[in-house]
Amino acid sequence: MAQADERNFRSQYYEKMGFRCVEEKRSLEPLLRETPVDGARLAQFVRLHLVPGIYRPLVWRLLLKVQPCHPEAAEFVAARRRETATDTFHWLRVLRNVTDETPWPLVFWLGWLLNTYRLAHMLPDEILRQDECPQLQVAQLVMDLFDDQTDQFFVCCRLWQLQREALDALPGQLAWLAAQLEREDPPLAAHLAALGLLADGTLLAGWISRLFCGVLPSSSVERVVDKLVAGAERILPLTGASLLITHRRALLAVEDPSAARALLDKVVEEDTDRVVSRALDLWAKQSKV
């Protein structure tokens, strides 16, 4: 009991002093030093704990299977990935979908569409409009986090696949969001239901399409994506529920759905830590059930 009390005091002290990841770093390092890395144990750790920023790129590469857990296969896999990325970018130029001036987020997105056989079924005008896709914000987040272009491309592709799976499961995601609102804030849930704000799933789908990029700052989005890459897909509706609860006072004062949507497009930056912290707390609470 004394050890547990000491650990809790130490954790609270680190959190107050801004070092919430100190103990997580000590726990994570042995997992990453294993040969091979145990992907299941790593994912379990990430679902339950914070990921120190210094290890985030490596953790994402491992959990997204961009980098193999067996070190002896890393060089071979990296070479094959470079070949695939080079071929993809080459064919995009041959097809005249990109030029040397095309921004890399758009190149990556078109490359994903090409490799998933979606680009072949798109009309020319539709391809030209892809520079407006919210998914490009995800690519920019990845480019800010990773230095290697091949890593950037494949991490983007893996995240877009997770995002696509979440959108395919939108009815279930929406039901989970509504259930959290009913549990945490019944008056707000009733008000949003009266406004019809969640009925068609448009709001949540918009957030999922960009993985909250542009809604929350990058540092907050990274913490959400940590859970997503570890298999906690419910972190997306939980973050949506947290976003709504954090702005409950303003939302309860709004009687027009379009005004409510506009309000949620202008999240105050100082509120974002509360949004993600509440979402992670909700996730932790649900994980114990």
Side-chain angles (χ1 to χ4, degrees):
M1 179 66 72
Q3 286 182 339
D5 290 343
E6 181 182 348
R7 181 179 178 85
N8 289 337
F9 172 79
R10 188 165 61 247
S11 298
Q12 291 174 9
Y13 174 77
Y14 285 147
E15 182 171 347
K16 287 182 179 179
M17 296 302 293
F19 299 111
R20 292 187 63 186
C21 289
V22 171
E23 293 195 14
E24 281 82 354
K25 180 179 177 181
R26 291 175 179 171
S27 301
L28 179 59
E29 286 174 342
L31 291 177
L32 296 176
R33 284 198 297 264
E34 290 183 350
T35 304
V37 174
D38 188 326
R41 285 183 60 203
L42 179 60
Q44 178 70 5
F45 176 90
V46 174
R47 286 195 293 269
L48 297 176
H49 303 285
L50 296 175
V51 176
I54 190 173
Y55 293 120
R56 181 166 283 120
L58 175 58
V59 168
W60 284 18
R61 288 198 304 268
L62 289 169
L63 292 181
L64 291 171
K65 295 181 171 53
V66 172
Q67 176 176 324
C69 292
H70 294 266
E72 62 272 16
E75 186 175 345
F76 175 81
V77 171
R80 300 291 80 74
R81 296 219 186 282
R82 282 194 296 271
E83 289 177 3
T84 300
T86 300
D87 289 346
T88 298
F89 304 151
H90 169 73
W91 280 110
L92 286 174
R93 285 178 169 81
V94 169
L95 294 170
R96 298 183 180 179
N97 295 133
V98 304
T99 67
D100 291 340
E101 286 72 42
T102 304
W104 279 108
L106 180 56
V107 174
F108 294 158
W109 173 242
L110 292 174
W112 183 74
L113 293 174
L114 176 68
N115 289 337
T116 54
Y117 308 104
R118 289 173 170 84
L119 195 65
H121 300 287
M122 297 172 68
L123 298 173
D125 287 347
E126 189 178 1
I127 295 175
L128 289 175
R129 291 195 302 272
Q130 293 306 303
D131 61 354
E132 303 172 359
C133 284
Q135 287 86 350
L136 302 189
Q137 293 175 289
V138 176
Q140 189 58 60
L141 174 80
V142 172
M143 290 181 67
D144 291 341
L145 194 59
F146 292 84
D147 296 324
D148 182 80
Q149 190 175 77
T150 300
D151 284 344
Q152 292 171 350
F153 176 56
F154 276 94
V155 170
C156 283
C157 290
R158 296 291 191 269
L159 290 180
W160 285 325
Q161 184 60 39
L162 291 176
Q163 170 254 334
R164 173 53 54 188
E165 292 169 3
L167 286 175
D168 289 343
L170 187 62
Q173 298 276 21
L174 192 59
W176 188 255
L177 187 157
Q180 296 309 306
L181 284 178
E182 286 284 355
R183 182 179 294 111
E184 301 293 328
D185 196 330
L188 178 61
H191 181 68
L192 295 177
L195 290 178
L197 197 62
L198 302 177
D200 61 358
T202 304
L203 185 63
L204 181 59
W207 288 336
I208 292 176
S209 294
R210 55 174 51 90
L211 297 181
F212 292 93
C213 293
V215 179
L216 303 174
S218 298
S219 59
S220 298
V221 175
E222 289 168 4
R223 295 163 64 195
V224 173
V225 177
D226 287 342
K227 305 302 180 189
L228 180 64
V229 301
E233 68 281 351
R234 283 180 175 171
I235 193 63
L236 298 174
L238 288 177
T239 302
S242 176
L243 187 59
L244 294 168
I245 293 169
T246 300
H247 295 84
R248 72 179 307 278
R249 182 175 299 179
L251 287 169
L252 288 172
V254 172
E255 299 296 336
D256 179 63
S258 60
R261 293 177 191 276
L263 184 154
L264 291 168
D265 284 338
K266 298 178 180 179
V267 176
V268 180
E269 187 158 345
E270 54 262 31
D271 288 341
T272 57
D273 277 341
R274 286 195 296 144
V275 170
V276 176
S277 295
R278 179 182 278 117
L280 297 180
D281 288 343
L282 288 173
W283 164 252
K285 187 188 304 182
Q286 295 301 319
S287 298
K288 293 176 183 178
V289 175

